């Protein structure tokens, strides 16, 4: 081998050795613990409990992922991407989303529910209902009809006075199938109750009567789905809290 070739080969070998011996970034063990805990929590909430992550392999995978993120982050900063206005805007949005998620999780952890509340929520989520309805062109007409009901007119008689094609529908449905406005209006009704205020829908004003209630025959027993029911009930309560917070800050909450 010629001296120049030998020198070139030695340089390449040294470079490769230096690359191979480069030390991966140190990751704070607390960060690793936090990420492992998040993954295990998600696994606990999964319906499929047959494939749980192996603890040792999971931890090593998390370390590798965090080291990879650190290397790529450092390269981005070297290029000055952290100073790019568009990158900063995206980072601020992601930061806001992160803290919003953390606040939502905190609210859920702080929310306490009683066994009675859980069973009531379960009954609401698994019930099927029949609705009767009457529609009017104006809100004033709907309120006038309510006065007639208070004076003794039956809802069936009111339907005969104000017929429409939709009244022919006479099947059980799940409340979750209803539009947001109707679902909210009938959520607290018991069998035989009529909505207290007219419901604005598609340019008309409706009164609804909850005419029949039965349990969904396909619903699983409460004892088998208790954890899922508790999680969904807490999430619903948290959504209501957040809606009130948004309203207090001048924001109209979206329909859920």
């Amino acid at each position: 081998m010629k001296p120049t070739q030998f020198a070139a080969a030695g340089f390449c070998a040294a470079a490769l050795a230096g690359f191979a011996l480069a030390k991966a970034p140190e990751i704070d063990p607390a960060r690793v613990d936090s990420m492992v805990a998040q993954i295990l929590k998600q696994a606990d909430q999964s319906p499929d409990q047959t494939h749980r992550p192996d603890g040792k392999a999971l931890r090593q995978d998390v370390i590798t992922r965090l080291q990879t993120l650190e290397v790529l982050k450092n390269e981005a900063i070297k290029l000055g991407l952290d100073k790019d206005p568009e990158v900063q805007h995206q980072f601020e949005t992601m930061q806001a989303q992160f803290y919003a998620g953390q606040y939502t999780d905190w609210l859920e952890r702080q929310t306490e529910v009683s066994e009675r509340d859980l069973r009531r929520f379960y009954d609401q989520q698994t019930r099927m209902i029949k609705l009767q309805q009457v529609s009017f062109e104006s809100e004033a007409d709907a309120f006038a009809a309510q006065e007639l009901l208070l004076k003794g007119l039956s809802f069936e008689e009111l339907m005969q006075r104000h017929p429409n094609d939709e009244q022919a529908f006479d099947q059980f449905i799940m409340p979750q199938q209803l539009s947001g406005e109707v679902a909210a209006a009938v959520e607290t009704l018991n069998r035989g109750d009529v909505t207290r205020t007219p419901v604005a829908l598609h340019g008309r004003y409706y009164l609804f009567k909850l005419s029949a209630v039965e349990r969904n025959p396909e619903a699983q027993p409460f004892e088998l789905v208790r954890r899922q029911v508790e999680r969904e009930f807490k999430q619903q309560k948290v959504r209501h809290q957040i809606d009130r917070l948004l309203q207090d800050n001048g924001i109209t909450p979206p329909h859920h």
Side-chain angles (χ1 to χ4, degrees):
M1 180 180 290
K2 296 180 180 180
T4 53
Q5 292 176 322
F6 181 80
F11 175 78
C12 291
L16 290 173
F19 179 80
L21 295 176
K23 188 176 181 181
E26 291 288 341
I27 303 297
D28 185 345
R31 286 182 62 191
V32 179
D33 294 341
S34 176
M35 190 168 180
V36 168
Q38 290 178 36
I39 295 173
L40 292 177
K41 181 181 178 181
Q42 292 172 354
D44 288 339
Q45 295 176 350
S46 172
D48 182 10
Q49 295 291 314
T50 58
H51 298 90
R52 287 188 55 78
D54 174 72
K56 186 176 181 180
L58 172 61
R59 188 173 185 84
Q60 185 54 54
D61 180 61
V62 165
I63 291 174
T64 302
R65 278 197 256 176
L66 291 176
Q67 288 174 330
T68 301
L69 291 174
E70 286 297 316
V71 169
L72 298 179
K73 181 194 76 173
N74 292 337
E75 290 301 310
I77 292 174
K78 287 179 184 177
L79 290 174
L81 294 180
D82 56 321
K83 303 298 192 297
D84 183 283
E86 181 59 28
V87 172
Q88 290 179 338
H89 296 156
Q90 293 182 29
F91 178 76
E92 289 170 0
T93 299
M94 291 177 61
Q95 185 182 52
Q97 291 174 337
F98 172 78
Y99 281 113
Q102 292 299 308
Y103 177 64
T104 301
D105 292 343
W106 180 86
L107 284 178
E108 189 172 331
R109 291 194 301 271
Q110 299 301 310
T111 300
E112 296 183 0
V113 296
S114 68
E115 194 71 12
R116 180 181 178 184
D117 287 339
L118 286 181
R119 288 188 175 274
R120 183 184 297 117
F121 179 74
Y122 169 78
D123 290 340
Q124 291 175 346
Q125 295 299 105
T126 57
R127 73 175 183 167
M128 302 187 71
I129 62 175
K130 279 186 180 182
L131 291 176
Q132 295 174 314
Q133 53 81 15
V134 184
S135 67
F136 305 89
E137 291 185 359
S138 70
E139 189 175 33
D141 290 341
F143 276 119
Q146 280 189 316
E147 291 295 325
L148 294 176
L149 293 175
L150 292 174
K151 292 177 180 179
L153 186 72
S154 71
F155 200 87
E156 289 70 23
E157 290 172 329
L158 187 64
M159 291 173 63
Q160 292 175 3
R161 292 190 183 187
H162 302 276
N164 61 56
D165 294 340
E166 296 169 320
Q167 292 173 351
F169 182 82
D170 186 37
Q171 298 179 18
F172 280 98
I173 60 173
M174 293 183 294
Q176 296 89 331
Q177 295 174 274
L178 299 171
S179 67
E181 297 88 349
V182 179
V186 305
E187 181 179 10
T188 59
L189 297 185
N190 296 314
R191 187 173 60 182
D193 289 346
V194 178
T195 46
R196 294 178 179 82
T197 57
V199 180
L201 195 65
H202 306 311
R204 294 184 65 83
Y205 294 85
Y206 286 77
L207 296 179
F208 291 95
K209 177 184 176 181
L210 184 60
S211 60
V213 180
E214 70 174 25
R215 174 69 56 78
N216 185 344
E218 299 181 0
Q220 292 184 294
F222 174 78
E223 291 72 18
L224 294 181
V225 293
R226 187 190 182 286
R227 287 182 61 186
Q228 178 182 344
V229 170
E230 181 177 5
R231 184 166 62 250
E232 291 178 357
F233 184 48
K234 286 186 174 183
Q235 290 172 348
Q236 184 188 84
K237 295 190 71 173
V238 167
R239 284 197 298 271
H240 291 164
Q241 287 180 266
I242 291 176
D243 285 349
R244 288 195 296 270
L245 178 63
L246 294 178
Q247 290 172 342
D248 291 342
N249 285 271
I251 300 173
T252 301
H255 290 298
H256 300 294

